[in-house]
């Protein structure tokens, strides 16, 4: 029995210890950089980042939890230090016994919030990764922080826990096989006619604009002609000015209509010179209508 116990102790003594990289990454969510942002928005964003990192299998510590674990004399010195300095970030990380100090950023502009997430290493306080999302509306803050977390976490794991970095699996595609649930088109992607350039609709769109302008100038030329035929002018110079305006509007109207027809014809040729398939979309074509008191122009079809 003594020999059996001795053998067990020898085997356990020779067993390799778990490498440090196998331990979960510990992250401290430090107080954010969010001057002027309402406190409830800041708290909501911080809690979302906390939950997001927890779902990735990390050990996450809130700043409030760190504050509760510090003596009163040390609390202000640690949490009130300047986070722009590396020494402060080292102090924060060491006080929380964390590998990484994560600082969220919320800056409010007229166009929306700029959302940012920065990760610093406790060992030296240096930046490991950062990511920013500009122009975020208030109802998009959580999605923006999720995006920032997904972008920041991989380089952090690569630097501190390479063994835990997720490896992207490239799906094997079998020729002729179709992804389950696929219906022939990709979700969220525009369906483009096979063999037709994606920009094929642009000449028709430009042609529609030119047709509209040509129609407008033609109507103006008609108004000039009406005033010249039925109006009375105080001086011959006024009559000549009205005549010149009519000539100019008629020339511009004719040019606009010619260019518009050319643009529509270009798109039509691009769509007609291709093979037809079951997934074809309707070609874009302009519609123009002219009436006694004005005109209208529009587009009918599916834009790629």
């Amino acid at each position: 029995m003594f020999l059996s116990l001795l053998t067990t102790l020898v085997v356990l003594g020779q067993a390799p210890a778990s490498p440090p990289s196998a331990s979960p990454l510990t992250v401290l969510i430090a107080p954010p950089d969010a001057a002027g942002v309402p406190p409830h928005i800041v708290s909501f964003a911080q809690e979302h980042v906390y939950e997001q990192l927890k779902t990735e299998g990390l050990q996450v510590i809130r700043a409030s939890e760190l504050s509760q674990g510090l003596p009163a004399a040390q609390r202000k010195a640690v949490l009130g230090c300047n986070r722009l300095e590396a020494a402060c970030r080292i102090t924060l990380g060491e006080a929380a016994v964390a590998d990484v100090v994560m600082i969220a950023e919320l800056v409010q502009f007229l166009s929306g919030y700029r959302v940012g997430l920065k990760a610093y290493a406790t060992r030296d306080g240096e930046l490991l990764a950062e990511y920013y999302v500009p122009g975020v509306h208030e109802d998009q803050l959580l999605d923006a922080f999720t995006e920032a977390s997904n972008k920041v976490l991989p380089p952090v794991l690569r630097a501190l826990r390479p063994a835990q970095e997720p490896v992207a699996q490239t799906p094997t595609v079998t020729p002729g096989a179709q992804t389950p649930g696929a219906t022939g088109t990709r979700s969220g992607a525009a369906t483009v006619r096979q063999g037709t350039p994606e920009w094929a609709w642009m000449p028709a769109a430009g042609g529609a604009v030119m047709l509209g302008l040509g129609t407008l100038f033609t109507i103006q030329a008609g108004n000039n002609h009406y005033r010249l035929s039925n109006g009375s002018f105080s001086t011959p110079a006024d009559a000549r000015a009205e005549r010149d305006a009519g000539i100019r509007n008629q020339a511009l109207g004719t040019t606009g209509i010619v260019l518009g027809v050319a643009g529509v014809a270009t798109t039509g040729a691009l769509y007609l010179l291709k093979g037809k398939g079951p997934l074809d979309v309707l070609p874009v074509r302009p519609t123009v209508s002219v009436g006694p008191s004005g005109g209208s122009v529009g587009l009918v079809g599916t834009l790629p």
Side-chain angles (χ1 to χ4, degrees):
M1 183 175 180
F2 176 75
L3 291 177
S4 176
L5 180 60
L6 182 61
T7 303
T8 302
L9 291 175
V10 170
V11 171
L12 291 176
Q14 293 178 348
S18 297
S21 61
S23 61
L25 194 71
T26 304
V27 178
L28 168 68
I29 302 180
D33 293 332
V37 179
H40 71 278
I41 294 180
V42 177
S43 300
F44 201 43
Q46 287 280 89
E47 190 63 23
H48 178 73
V49 174
Y50 173 86
E51 295 295 338
Q52 183 71 18
L53 295 177
K54 289 281 287 185
T55 59
E56 299 292 340
L58 278 60
Q59 292 184 355
V60 190
I61 304 172
R62 300 181 180 92
S64 58
E65 297 170 346
L66 174 61
S67 175
Q68 295 171 3
L70 291 175
Q74 189 182 2
R75 189 178 305 156
K76 184 176 180 180
V78 173
L79 296 178
C81 65
N82 186 2
R83 293 184 296 280
L84 296 177
E85 300 177 356
C88 175
R89 299 189 289 265
I90 294 174
T91 301
L92 284 168
E94 290 178 347
V97 195
D99 303 296
V100 178
V101 176
M102 195 84 73
I103 300 178
E105 181 181 292
L106 267 174
V107 183
Q108 191 170 15
F109 297 96
L110 293 177
S111 59
Y113 291 92
R114 185 183 72 176
V115 171
L117 204 58
K118 297 171 285 188
Y120 298 90
T122 297
R123 62 193 178 196
D124 53 12
E126 295 301 320
L127 182 68
L128 292 173
E130 61 182 347
Y131 188 80
Y132 297 93
V133 185
V136 179
H137 297 293
E138 190 168 317
D139 58 346
Q140 301 170 329
L141 285 175
L142 299 188
D143 292 335
F145 272 113
T146 298
E147 178 183 348
S149 175
N150 291 337
K151 294 291 185 179
V152 167
L153 188 55
V156 170
L157 290 176
R158 192 179 307 122
L160 302 180
R161 295 292 190 276
Q164 297 179 13
E165 184 185 5
V167 179
Q169 299 291 334
T170 303
T172 303
V173 180
T174 304
Q178 189 176 13
T179 305
T183 59
T185 59
R186 292 181 300 167
S187 175
T191 302
V192 183
R193 280 177 159 248
Q194 186 178 7
T196 304
E198 295 183 3
W199 49 264
W201 62 274
M202 295 179 65
V209 174
M210 295 306 298
L211 283 172
L213 292 174
T215 301
L216 178 62
F217 283 116
T218 300
I219 294 173
Q220 290 295 332
N223 294 336
N224 295 131
H225 178 73
Y226 177 82
R227 287 193 294 269
L228 191 63
S229 301
N230 303 314
S232 58
F233 299 93
S234 57
T235 62
D238 293 339
R240 285 195 299 269
E242 189 71 30
R243 181 200 62 189
D244 293 341
I247 294 173
R248 183 175 60 254
N249 287 332
Q250 186 175 11
L252 291 174
T254 303
T255 303
I257 291 175
V258 170
L259 293 176
V261 171
V264 174
T266 300
T267 295
L270 290 173
Y271 276 91
L272 290 175
L273 294 177
K274 58 162 283 301
K276 296 182 178 180
L279 297 178
D280 284 349
V281 296
L282 293 176
V284 178
R285 59 184 185 275
T287 59
V288 180
S289 60
V290 181
S293 59
S296 64
V297 61
L299 289 176
V300 177
T302 304
L303 294 179

